[in-house]
């Protein structure tokens, strides 16, 4: 299984979601404008463009639109551009700041 695959297995005796958990409400998507109202980060240090899933105090899922033209790809690494780990961690922290 690929590390990017978002699947998990459960045994028949263990439900994936507790039976007393209410069904999720319709998803609310927060835009970059909403994010800027809460977080102080701005370009080039704003590393969250959208919150696509949010459960207060429990879970937040964010999106960062990444293009090949971003300056950190020029030298990290030549011929194989990879977003630096420190920026990935900062992006996760910014999503965590939402909740």
């Amino acid at each position: 299984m690929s590390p990017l695959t978002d699947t998990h297995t459960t045994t028949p005796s263990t439900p994936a979601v507790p039976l007393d958990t209410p069904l999720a409400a319709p998803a609310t998507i927060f835009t970059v404008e909403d994010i800027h109202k809460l977080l102080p980060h701005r370009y080039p240090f704003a590393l969250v463009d959208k919150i696509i899933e949010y459960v207060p105090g429990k879970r937040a899922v964010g999106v960062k639109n990444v293009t090949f033209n971003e300056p950190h790809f020029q030298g990290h690494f030549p011929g194989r551009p990879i977003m630096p780990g420190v920026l990935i961690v900062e992006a996760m922290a910014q999503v965590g700041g939402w909740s």
Side-chain angles (χ1 to χ4, degrees):
M1 176 167 50
S2 165
L4 299 178
T5 305
D6 187 24
T7 56
H8 23 275
T9 59
T10 59
T11 61
S13 62
T14 307
V17 177
L19 298 176
D20 60 346
T21 302
L23 296 176
T28 301
I29 296 177
F30 296 97
T31 65
V32 71
E33 291 84 7
D34 298 323
I35 294 167
H36 283 176
K37 290 176 186 173
L38 180 67
L39 299 178
H41 305 81
R42 297 297 182 265
Y43 180 84
F45 301 109
L47 297 175
V48 181
D49 293 319
K50 188 185 298 184
I51 301 292
I52 60 170
E53 186 178 332
Y54 177 60
V55 178
K58 295 192 183 271
R59 178 180 171 91
V61 178
V63 173
K64 167 64 176 156
N65 297 317
V66 180
T67 67
F68 181 75
N69 296 328
E70 295 191 40
H72 53 264
F73 288 131
Q74 302 308 310
H76 197 272
F77 293 99
R80 187 175 174 153
I82 298 173
M83 188 167 181
V86 69
L87 295 180
I88 295 170
V89 171
E90 175 61 24
M92 291 189 309
Q94 289 179 25
V95 171
W98 185 259
S99 56

